[in-house]
Amino acid sequence: MFFALDGFLFAGWVVRIPAIKQQTGASASTLGLALLGVSAGAVITMMLTGRLCRRHGSHAVTVVCGVLLPLSIALPAQTHSALALGLVLLVFGAAYGGMNVAMNSAAVDLVAELRRPVMPGFHAAFSLGGMVGAGLGGLVAGGLSAANHLFLLAAVGLLVTAAAGPVLLRNRPAPPAAPSRTERLTRRRLDPRARRIVVLFGVIALCTAYGEGALADWGALHLEQDLDAHPGLAAAGYALFALTMTIGRLTGTLLLERLGQTRTLVLGGATAAAGMLLGALAPTVWLALAGFAVTGLGLANIFPVAVGRAGELAGPSGVAAASTLGYGGMLLGPPAIGFLADWFSLPVALTTVALLAAAAAVLGYGARNAAHA
């Protein structure tokens, strides 16, 4: 529920970015700087959330962030300048970053109990929430103001947290009495080489999360501004991307069991690179939408696999490092796209998503040998 809520609220915000851009009068580069507020707030919070989870438990921190995130999502529509937008996005980013670290920490504990590669299932819930949020956003984009839309999203978020939060708080995992054998072995082998491999998996996660963030914040604007799509159809672009990503993640456990982790990484990166080249450079809306759909399928399982492999190598600290790098890519990508769009054009800027997806495929293949060296 919390993964789905996170995706639902994030998508609800991103489909209204064109309206917020017009409301604040921001250019592409100043909008990119304002979006950097999300990144800054999230990175600062991610550094602190791990400590809070260790002290108070990941379930309690998830519930607290489940209150703060809906409250903060209503703020951007109340701004009328890029500076004010950037400041309130600091708050939104702090809540978003805390939620992601806390709920992933809780998911890691559950994956360990189940002893199956089911991490893609949790991320499928995020994508499903994003699909629903973007779809509803597209339906109301023409008739409901951004302020009213985001206020309704805040109300929905608080209701979901009120319903799901008590379940998490009643079922906190008991801390182990002593480190497990796996943890003891992990601590002994976490030498500088192992740390470098963990960072490598974190970079793989960053490369693909960059694409998620770029499509979330700039996909609708690309369709509306460069291909003259109706605002509702432009919002449907992210909904389609989220739909195919959801499908890919729902089948992710089966894919991992059939192909293995390395082939899943390489195939996913190559597929996403091809899809994003089509999505960014296609001359028509429908071809661009097809490219977005293929990109979603390709990116679907790379982030969960990268985080999972880092955890296999270095335990919870590896999961935390890879997750932070990965979500950093999701949050730092949009401002980078903004600057590139001003210097070149938005379609050219979006081709960087394809370049990084291809890099993830190459790094994923190389990580196979590095992890077993």
Side-chain angles (χ1 to χ4, degrees):
M1 288 297 294
F2 280 99
F3 270 84
L5 175 64
D6 192 52
F8 177 78
L9 294 178
F10 185 73
W13 145 246
V14 299
V15 299
R16 300 315 297 248
I17 285 177
I20 300 298
K21 179 178 183 292
Q22 183 177 8
Q23 175 181 303
T24 58
S27 67
S29 59
T30 55
L31 177 63
L33 282 174
L35 293 173
L36 192 60
V38 180
S39 309
V43 168
I44 292 170
T45 307
M46 284 175 174
M47 296 176 183
L48 301 174
T49 303
R51 298 178 185 176
L52 292 174
C53 288
R54 286 192 295 272
R55 177 173 295 184
H56 303 289
S58 58
H59 290 192
V61 179
T62 299
V63 173
V64 171
C65 293
V67 174
L68 296 178
L69 186 63
L71 292 176
S72 65
I73 201 173
L75 299 177
Q78 308 305 317
T79 62
H80 297 280
S81 71
L83 176 60
L85 178 63
L87 292 175
V88 300
L89 288 180
L90 277 171
V91 180
F92 177 72
Y96 181 76
M99 169 77 92
N100 278 283
V101 172
M103 69 185 186
N104 270 289
S105 297
V108 166
D109 293 337
L110 290 168
V111 169
E113 287 192 35
L114 292 171
R115 298 184 181 182
R116 288 192 67 209
V118 296
M119 183 63 88
F122 291 105
H123 289 262
F126 174 86
S127 299
L128 181 61
M131 180 189 68
V132 174
L136 290 177
L139 289 176
V140 304
L144 194 64
S145 70
N148 289 336
H149 179 202
L150 296 182
F151 179 79
L152 289 175
L153 291 181
V156 170
L158 291 173
L159 287 174
V160 171
T161 299
V167 180
L168 275 188
L169 295 176
R170 285 196 304 267
N171 295 277
R172 301 187 189 189
S180 67
R181 179 176 178 274
T182 300
E183 289 173 329
R184 292 195 299 271
L185 290 173
T186 297
R187 290 173 185 173
R188 284 202 296 269
R189 71 185 182 190
L190 194 57
D191 54 21
R193 183 190 64 83
R195 289 193 180 96
R196 287 194 296 270
I197 298 171
V198 169
V199 171
L200 176 62
F201 288 128
V203 172
I204 292 171
L206 183 152
C207 288
T208 56
Y210 175 96
E212 288 191 57
L215 278 173
D217 282 5
W218 294 102
L221 192 62
H222 167 56
L223 295 174
E224 188 174 337
Q225 170 185 290
D226 299 315
L227 299 176
D228 298 321
H230 181 273
L233 183 59
Y238 181 70
L240 180 61
F241 169 77
L243 171 62
T244 56
M245 181 169 279
T246 302
I247 294 170
R249 286 175 170 173
L250 287 173
T251 59
T253 298
L254 179 62
L255 191 67
L256 285 168
E257 291 173 341
R258 293 280 182 88
L259 298 181
Q261 295 176 333
T262 298
R263 289 180 181 176
T264 300
L265 285 176
V266 174
L267 179 62
T271 301
M276 197 59 229
L277 283 176
L278 178 62
L281 303 177
T284 67
V285 173
W286 298 108
L287 282 175
L289 289 173
F292 284 9
V294 174
T295 304
L297 284 174
L299 293 180
N301 294 303
I302 301 179
F303 187 96
V305 170
V307 170
R309 292 192 68 177
E312 291 173 10
L313 182 66
S317 63
V319 173
S323 297
T324 301
L325 278 169
Y327 282 111
M330 180 180 288
L331 298 169
L332 292 173
I337 294 288
F339 283 108
L340 291 170
D342 262 4
W343 293 336
F344 303 102
S345 68
L346 185 52
V348 170
L350 288 173
T351 62
T352 59
V353 175
L355 291 176
L356 289 181
V362 173
L363 292 173
Y365 184 80
R368 177 194 62 174
N369 296 325
H372 295 92

